[in-house]
Amino acid sequence: MDFGHDERTRELCEQLQSFMDSHIYPAEPVYHEQAIKAAQEGDPWRRPAVVAELKTAARERGLWNLFLPKHSGGAGLTNLQYAALAPEALNCAAPDTGNMEVLAEFGSPEQQDRWLKPLLDGAIRSAFCMTEPDVASSDASNIATRIQRDGDSYVINGTKWWSSGAMDPACEILIVMGKTDPDADRHRQQSMILVPRDTPGISIRRGMHLFGYDDAPHGGHAEVRFADVRVPASNLIDEEGSGFAIAQARLGPGRIHHCMRLIGAAERALELLCKRVTSRTAFGRPLAEQGVIQDWIAESRVRIEQARLLVLKTAWLMDTVGNKGAHTEIQAIKVATPAMAEWVIDKAIQAHGAGGVSQDFPLAHMWAAARSLRFADGPDEVHKRSLARRELRRYT
């Protein structure tokens, strides 16, 4: 296995680090000020203007769409190369990345021209509608939303929630997963279809709260009702019955992207922890000299590096043997990385005391995001069940 950074990745990492120092970190307080102002003005879902400025600056530097192959409009990086490069300002934010990958791999030329191109340009945003409130959505065969053919159209009925990005005013397209044939084979019942957000019959009921956070500036997590929503049959992605396979293809890269971001969050939390304990004194000496604090720091570094190496191995396998060949590792990182990040961020919160759970530091929100990823894109228990079964096959 060889997953060291090549020359291009090192160059991109240097460019990205310079961009983070010169643009991203200084923009953080501006972002929060603009988000607060938008909420006070009754428009909490309005994207802070500084994000558009950052995207323009990133694009000027060639730090744009790094996750897609060149023939799809991306930078042509491998998963291994992309593993270190994923901030939102680079047009690399969920759920748009996954939706762009779906359109790039399964979309028709007309669908790509209408929806993929503006997404690649960062001109619009999108949402992915899969999870439902009334069924255990971790089992995709439970999905109850119906997508029924009616002449040259499909009619959609059902309720989705946790549709990330759907609250954003810039969201113009929803990718909806539902059942086209409930009597088909268990994994051939589902299909995916493109639904413009302004289609009659769609009602955005509310934005869900994540541990009290509405995630407003990021586009939120909407509950969406589809009542006799009619779209052209040409909006179906790929063919009827391919929804489950498309979801699996989407979730593989999506899961590794989440883990990449989580490692970055854990690194940021450890940095904040170290800065805090070297600047605070308790019981007559700096917090950094307390044995328990040093244990947290050492353990954090060990856990981060373990997760990083597993994620890099997974990216390398995805590039060399494909997502199916990397299935075990994709599931393993999905279990290990959120738990690692949650632990490291928790220790950073503890070191900050009351400040750690306040709005003065990003740690509380980071912890909430890490905790939620222990069930988003498949709960730990489902991944562990699959991992255990695969391991047991060698003995049965």
Side-chain angles (χ1 to χ4, degrees):
M1 293 179 288
D2 181 7
F3 39 79
H5 290 330
D6 61 10
E7 184 177 352
R8 188 182 184 199
T9 306
R10 287 193 295 270
E11 290 175 355
L12 284 170
C13 283
E14 290 176 4
Q15 293 176 36
L16 178 57
Q17 188 58 60
S18 175
F19 183 66
M20 297 289 287
D21 292 337
S22 63
H23 288 73
I24 300 295
Y25 296 136
E28 286 183 342
V30 179
Y31 178 95
H32 291 296
E33 288 173 9
Q34 292 179 350
I36 291 170
K37 183 178 180 181
Q40 292 172 339
E41 294 174 352
D43 189 12
W45 310 107
R46 185 175 74 215
R47 190 66 115 206
V50 71
V51 174
E53 297 171 9
L54 292 171
K55 287 186 174 183
T56 299
R59 195 165 190 172
E60 289 172 350
R61 289 159 175 77
L63 298 170
W64 193 254
N65 290 334
L66 302 178
F67 61 96
L68 278 176
K70 284 186 177 180
H71 66 77
S72 299
L77 301 183
T78 64
N79 285 291
L80 184 59
Q81 289 173 317
Y82 176 64
L85 309 159
E88 178 188 351
L90 279 58
N91 208 35
C92 296
D96 295 330
T97 48
N99 291 343
M100 286 188 266
E101 286 166 336
V102 165
L103 287 168
E105 185 172 352
F106 301 101
S108 68
E110 294 77 16
Q111 292 170 351
Q112 291 174 351
D113 185 64
R114 175 65 185 90
W115 300 113
L116 179 58
K117 188 177 185 301
L119 282 168
L120 287 169
D121 289 340
I124 66 171
R125 298 214 61 196
S126 62
F128 186 66
C129 303
M130 179 176 175
T131 306
E132 298 182 4
D134 297 327
V135 300
S137 303
S138 57
D139 180 355
S141 65
N142 287 335
I143 296 298
T145 294
R146 287 301 313 274
I147 303 174
Q148 294 175 290
R149 184 70 181 252
D150 182 21
D152 59 357
S153 301
Y154 280 99
V155 179
I156 305 160
N157 284 282
T159 300
K160 300 288 187 178
W161 67 346
W162 297 100
S163 299
S164 298
M167 301 298 296
D168 192 327
C171 176
E172 294 190 14
I173 188 67
L174 314 176
I175 294 181
V176 182
M177 184 167 175
K179 284 189 177 178
T180 44
D181 185 359
D183 298 321
D185 179 76
R186 183 167 174 260
H187 292 137
R188 291 288 299 173
Q189 298 175 4
Q190 306 84 9
S191 300
M192 287 193 189
I193 196 162
L194 291 159
V195 183
R197 189 172 181 263
D198 59 359
T199 305
I202 293 178
S203 57
I204 308 293
R205 291 186 165 183
R206 57 175 176 161
M208 306 302 299
H209 284 195
L210 177 69
F211 287 103
Y213 294 100
D214 58 17
D215 283 345
H218 298 289
H221 315 282
E223 180 177 349
V224 188
R225 170 67 179 164
F226 299 86
D228 293 327
V229 175
R230 183 178 294 270
V231 296
S234 59
N235 282 25
L236 191 76
I237 299 175
D238 200 34
E239 62 182 11
E240 283 195 15
S242 63
F244 186 86
I246 295 174
Q248 293 304 305
R250 183 188 188 279
L251 288 172
R255 286 164 180 154
I256 197 169
H257 293 172
H258 277 318
C259 291
M260 295 169 186
R261 297 184 186 104
L262 283 168
I263 289 171
E267 285 282 12
R268 186 75 186 280
L270 180 56
E271 176 187 350
L272 290 170
L273 190 163
C274 290
K275 288 181 176 178
R276 182 74 169 188
V277 299
T278 53
S279 65
R280 291 291 177 115
T281 299
F283 305 107
R285 56 178 175 166
L287 286 175
E289 294 182 9
Q290 305 288 346
V292 66
I293 301 291
Q294 294 180 355
D295 182 77
W296 292 348
I297 294 170
E299 186 68 23
S300 294
R301 175 51 62 202
V302 169
R303 295 188 185 209
I304 291 171
E305 294 307 321
Q306 287 174 331
R308 190 197 314 280
L309 288 170
L310 186 54
V311 168
L312 288 172
K313 177 192 176 185
T314 303
W316 177 77
L317 284 171
M318 291 170 71
D319 292 334
T320 54
V321 297
N323 293 359
K324 188 174 181 179
H327 190 64
T328 294
E329 284 75 14
I330 290 172
Q331 290 189 309
I333 62 172
K334 181 58 179 61
V335 173
T337 314
M340 175 278 294
E342 182 186 343
W343 190 92
V344 173
I345 297 166
D346 178 78
K347 296 301 175 284
I349 289 172
Q350 195 74 5
H352 282 72
V357 297
S358 77
Q359 69 271 39
D360 289 351
F361 298 92
L363 294 167
H365 198 182
M366 288 164 60
W367 182 91
R371 178 61 184 87
S372 70
L373 283 171
R374 287 176 52 198
F375 50 79
D377 287 356
D380 289 354
E381 292 74 17
V382 171
H383 293 299
K384 288 180 178 180
R385 175 173 177 262
S386 178
L387 281 167
R389 286 182 168 184
R390 191 173 294 108
E391 195 74 15
L392 285 167
R393 286 191 197 120
R394 293 187 288 175
Y395 304 94
T396 57

Short mmCIF file of all heavy atoms in Angstrom, two decimals, residues 1 9 18 42 60 78 80 86 89 114 141-142 150 166 169 172 184 227 234 257 278 283 290 293 326 356-357 359 393:
data_model
loop_
_atom_site.label_atom_id
_atom_site.label_comp_id
_atom_site.label_asym_id
_atom_site.label_seq_id
_atom_site.Cartn_x
_atom_site.Cartn_y
_atom_site.Cartn_z
N MET A 1 0.85 -1.19 0.00
CA MET A 1 0.00 0.00 0.00
C MET A 1 0.88 1.24 0.00
O MET A 1 1.83 1.34 0.77
CB MET A 1 -0.91 0.02 1.23
CG MET A 1 -1.96 -1.07 1.25
SD MET A 1 -2.98 -1.02 2.74
CE MET A 1 -1.80 -1.60 3.95
N THR A 9 -0.60 16.64 -5.01
CA THR A 9 -1.34 16.76 -3.76
C THR A 9 -0.61 17.69 -2.79
O THR A 9 -1.24 18.52 -2.11
CB THR A 9 -1.54 15.38 -3.12
OG1 THR A 9 -2.14 14.50 -4.06
CG2 THR A 9 -2.42 15.48 -1.88
N SER A 18 -2.46 27.87 2.60
CA SER A 18 -2.28 29.31 2.44
C SER A 18 -3.63 30.01 2.33
O SER A 18 -3.84 31.08 2.92
CB SER A 18 -1.44 29.59 1.18
OG SER A 18 -1.35 30.97 0.94
N GLY A 42 -35.05 38.03 10.06
CA GLY A 42 -36.10 37.09 9.72
C GLY A 42 -35.79 36.21 8.53
O GLY A 42 -36.70 35.59 7.96
N GLU A 60 -10.60 31.38 -8.30
CA GLU A 60 -9.51 32.09 -8.95
C GLU A 60 -8.18 31.37 -8.75
O GLU A 60 -7.27 31.48 -9.58
CB GLU A 60 -9.41 33.52 -8.40
CG GLU A 60 -10.56 34.42 -8.84
CD GLU A 60 -10.54 35.76 -8.12
OE1 GLU A 60 -9.73 35.91 -7.15
OE2 GLU A 60 -11.31 36.66 -8.51
N THR A 78 -7.72 11.80 -7.71
CA THR A 78 -8.15 10.51 -7.18
C THR A 78 -8.72 10.73 -5.78
O THR A 78 -8.59 11.82 -5.19
CB THR A 78 -6.96 9.55 -7.09
OG1 THR A 78 -6.02 10.08 -6.14
CG2 THR A 78 -6.27 9.38 -8.43
N LEU A 80 -7.56 9.42 -3.16
CA LEU A 80 -6.41 9.60 -2.28
C LEU A 80 -5.89 11.03 -2.33
O LEU A 80 -5.55 11.61 -1.30
CB LEU A 80 -5.30 8.63 -2.70
CG LEU A 80 -4.03 8.61 -1.83
CD1 LEU A 80 -4.37 8.26 -0.39
CD2 LEU A 80 -3.02 7.62 -2.39
N ALA A 86 -11.18 19.52 1.37
CA ALA A 86 -12.65 19.44 1.31
C ALA A 86 -13.45 20.58 1.91
O ALA A 86 -14.57 20.36 2.30
CB ALA A 86 -13.09 18.13 1.96
N ALA A 89 -15.90 26.24 0.74
CA ALA A 89 -15.55 27.31 -0.18
C ALA A 89 -14.98 26.79 -1.49
O ALA A 89 -14.93 27.52 -2.48
CB ALA A 89 -14.54 28.27 0.48
N ARG A 114 -28.75 20.56 -17.53
CA ARG A 114 -29.70 21.41 -16.79
C ARG A 114 -29.31 21.60 -15.33
O ARG A 114 -29.46 22.69 -14.78
CB ARG A 114 -31.10 20.79 -16.87
CG ARG A 114 -32.16 21.53 -16.04
CD ARG A 114 -32.40 22.93 -16.58
NE ARG A 114 -33.32 23.68 -15.74
CZ ARG A 114 -32.96 24.44 -14.71
NH1 ARG A 114 -31.67 24.52 -14.37
NH2 ARG A 114 -33.86 25.11 -14.01
N SER A 141 -35.08 -0.54 1.91
CA SER A 141 -36.27 -1.24 1.41
C SER A 141 -37.53 -0.78 2.14
O SER A 141 -38.64 -1.07 1.69
CB SER A 141 -36.10 -2.75 1.54
OG SER A 141 -36.02 -3.13 2.91
N ASN A 142 -37.36 -0.06 3.26
CA ASN A 142 -38.52 0.43 4.01
C ASN A 142 -39.09 1.73 3.44
O ASN A 142 -40.18 2.16 3.84
CB ASN A 142 -38.15 0.69 5.47
CG ASN A 142 -37.96 -0.59 6.26
OD1 ASN A 142 -38.52 -1.63 5.91
ND2 ASN A 142 -37.17 -0.53 7.31
N ASP A 150 -47.34 7.91 -14.68
CA ASP A 150 -48.66 8.31 -15.17
C ASP A 150 -48.45 8.96 -16.53
O ASP A 150 -48.16 10.16 -16.62
CB ASP A 150 -49.32 9.29 -14.19
CG ASP A 150 -50.72 9.69 -14.63
OD1 ASP A 150 -51.32 8.94 -15.43
OD2 ASP A 150 -51.20 10.76 -14.21
N ALA A 166 -32.20 21.69 1.78
CA ALA A 166 -33.47 22.08 1.17
C ALA A 166 -34.01 23.41 1.67
O ALA A 166 -34.87 24.01 1.03
CB ALA A 166 -34.51 20.99 1.39
N PRO A 169 -32.23 29.13 0.27
CA PRO A 169 -32.92 29.80 -0.84
C PRO A 169 -32.30 29.50 -2.19
O PRO A 169 -32.97 29.60 -3.22
CB PRO A 169 -32.79 31.29 -0.50
CG PRO A 169 -32.57 31.33 0.98
CD PRO A 169 -31.80 30.10 1.31
N GLU A 172 -32.30 24.61 -5.71
CA GLU A 172 -33.24 24.59 -6.83
C GLU A 172 -33.65 23.19 -7.26
O GLU A 172 -34.62 23.04 -7.99
CB GLU A 172 -32.64 25.33 -8.03
CG GLU A 172 -32.45 26.82 -7.79
CD GLU A 172 -32.08 27.57 -9.06
OE1 GLU A 172 -32.24 27.01 -10.16
OE2 GLU A 172 -31.63 28.74 -8.93
N ALA A 184 -41.44 -5.53 -6.69
CA ALA A 184 -40.20 -6.01 -7.31
C ALA A 184 -39.28 -6.61 -6.25
O ALA A 184 -39.58 -6.61 -5.05
CB ALA A 184 -39.51 -4.86 -8.03
N ALA A 227 -47.02 16.09 -2.30
CA ALA A 227 -48.43 15.76 -2.47
C ALA A 227 -48.80 15.86 -3.94
O ALA A 227 -48.94 16.97 -4.48
CB ALA A 227 -49.31 16.68 -1.63
N SER A 234 -38.76 12.10 -17.98
CA SER A 234 -37.34 12.26 -18.30
C SER A 234 -36.52 12.69 -17.10
O SER A 234 -35.29 12.68 -17.15
CB SER A 234 -37.18 13.30 -19.42
OG SER A 234 -37.73 14.55 -19.04
N HIS A 257 -15.98 11.25 2.33
CA HIS A 257 -15.90 12.71 2.42
C HIS A 257 -16.23 13.18 3.84
O HIS A 257 -15.57 14.09 4.37
CB HIS A 257 -16.86 13.36 1.42
CG HIS A 257 -16.48 13.13 -0.01
ND1 HIS A 257 -17.30 13.49 -1.06
CD2 HIS A 257 -15.37 12.57 -0.57
CE1 HIS A 257 -16.71 13.17 -2.21
NE2 HIS A 257 -15.54 12.61 -1.92
N THR A 278 -2.39 25.97 27.20
CA THR A 278 -1.10 26.66 27.36
C THR A 278 -1.29 28.12 27.76
O THR A 278 -0.32 28.80 28.09
CB THR A 278 -0.28 26.60 26.06
OG1 THR A 278 -1.07 27.08 24.96
CG2 THR A 278 0.18 25.18 25.78
N PHE A 283 -4.84 25.84 39.81
CA PHE A 283 -4.15 25.17 40.92
C PHE A 283 -2.65 25.40 40.87
O PHE A 283 -1.84 24.50 41.11
CB PHE A 283 -4.48 23.67 40.93
CG PHE A 283 -5.95 23.39 40.96
CD1 PHE A 283 -6.61 22.91 39.83
CD2 PHE A 283 -6.69 23.63 42.11
CE1 PHE A 283 -7.97 22.67 39.86
CE2 PHE A 283 -8.06 23.39 42.14
CZ PHE A 283 -8.69 22.91 41.02
N GLN A 290 -0.86 19.70 33.63
CA GLN A 290 -1.67 18.71 34.35
C GLN A 290 -1.60 17.36 33.62
O GLN A 290 -1.77 17.29 32.40
CB GLN A 290 -3.13 19.18 34.45
CG GLN A 290 -3.31 20.56 35.07
CD GLN A 290 -3.06 20.57 36.58
OE1 GLN A 290 -2.99 19.50 37.20
NE2 GLN A 290 -2.91 21.75 37.14
N ILE A 293 -4.54 16.38 31.34
CA ILE A 293 -4.58 17.15 30.10
C ILE A 293 -3.59 16.57 29.09
O ILE A 293 -3.89 16.41 27.90
CB ILE A 293 -4.27 18.63 30.35
CG1 ILE A 293 -5.28 19.25 31.33
CG2 ILE A 293 -4.23 19.40 29.04
CD1 ILE A 293 -6.68 19.39 30.77
N ALA A 326 -13.54 -1.82 -1.70
CA ALA A 326 -13.20 -1.09 -0.47
C ALA A 326 -14.37 -1.07 0.52
O ALA A 326 -14.34 -0.31 1.49
CB ALA A 326 -12.79 0.33 -0.81
N GLY A 356 -16.55 26.08 26.34
CA GLY A 356 -16.58 25.02 25.35
C GLY A 356 -17.97 24.70 24.84
O GLY A 356 -18.12 24.21 23.70
N VAL A 357 -18.99 24.94 25.67
CA VAL A 357 -20.36 24.65 25.23
C VAL A 357 -21.08 25.91 24.79
O VAL A 357 -22.27 25.88 24.50
CB VAL A 357 -21.17 23.96 26.35
CG1 VAL A 357 -20.56 22.61 26.70
CG2 VAL A 357 -21.25 24.85 27.60
N GLN A 359 -21.39 29.70 22.42
CA GLN A 359 -21.27 30.12 21.03
C GLN A 359 -19.95 30.84 20.75
O GLN A 359 -19.68 31.21 19.60
CB GLN A 359 -22.44 31.04 20.64
CG GLN A 359 -22.44 32.42 21.31
CD GLN A 359 -23.18 32.42 22.63
OE1 GLN A 359 -23.10 31.47 23.40
NE2 GLN A 359 -23.92 33.51 22.88
N ARG A 393 -18.03 -14.91 7.27
CA ARG A 393 -18.12 -15.75 6.07
C ARG A 393 -16.88 -16.61 5.89
O ARG A 393 -16.92 -17.68 5.28
CB ARG A 393 -18.32 -14.88 4.83
CG ARG A 393 -19.72 -14.31 4.73
CD ARG A 393 -19.96 -13.70 3.36
NE ARG A 393 -21.13 -12.83 3.40
CZ ARG A 393 -21.10 -11.55 3.13
NH1 ARG A 393 -19.96 -10.95 2.80
NH2 ARG A 393 -22.21 -10.83 3.20
#
